[in-house]
Amino acid sequence: MDPEQIIIEPVLTEKSNALRERGQYIFRVNPRANKVQIKSAVRQLFGVHPVRCTVAMVKGKPKRARFQRGYTAAWKKATVTLAEGETIAAFEGV
């Protein structure tokens, strides 16, 4: 898989912004990607050195519209920890 196919989008929430100060970045990733592929994709796309990667499957939340019940889509989340002193410039607004 190409790095553009592995990293789908960054997750921008209050919690992810707080983690970013500690050098951890959260991404929505391809469900078929593993930790090694995710670290390699972050290294190639952003030019940084990932030290650690953890992944989790996020379950879909139950939703309903009028009389229809359903779920939002499940997705895979990756938390990537960078080497000390490194940041991703795209997140910092540079």
Side-chain angles (χ1 to χ4, degrees):
M1 276 190 279
D2 292 333
E4 291 85 14
Q5 293 175 335
I6 294 173
I7 305 292
I8 297 173
E9 64 183 358
V11 177
L12 301 174
T13 61
E14 288 183 24
K15 185 175 182 178
S16 68
N17 289 338
L19 288 174
R20 195 169 60 209
E21 295 173 1
R22 298 190 334 205
Q24 295 180 342
Y25 293 83
I26 300 177
F27 298 98
R28 184 176 188 155
V29 296
N30 189 324
R32 293 182 177 179
N34 59 33
K35 293 180 180 185
V36 175
Q37 292 172 330
I38 294 168
K39 285 170 66 172
S40 175
V42 170
R43 186 178 302 115
Q44 290 176 3
L45 289 175
F46 302 110
V48 293
H49 300 91
V51 176
R52 183 176 170 198
C53 177
T54 59
V55 294
M57 286 300 297
V58 179
K59 291 184 180 181
K61 296 180 181 179
K63 298 287 182 181
R64 71 181 196 105
R66 290 197 175 249
F67 306 109
Q68 298 269 335
R69 291 186 181 197
Y71 289 89
T72 59
W75 53 284
K76 192 171 192 176
K77 175 173 69 171
T79 304
V80 179
T81 304
L82 300 183
E84 189 69 29
E86 286 191 331
T87 61
I88 296 176
F91 282 90
E92 306 304 326
V94 176

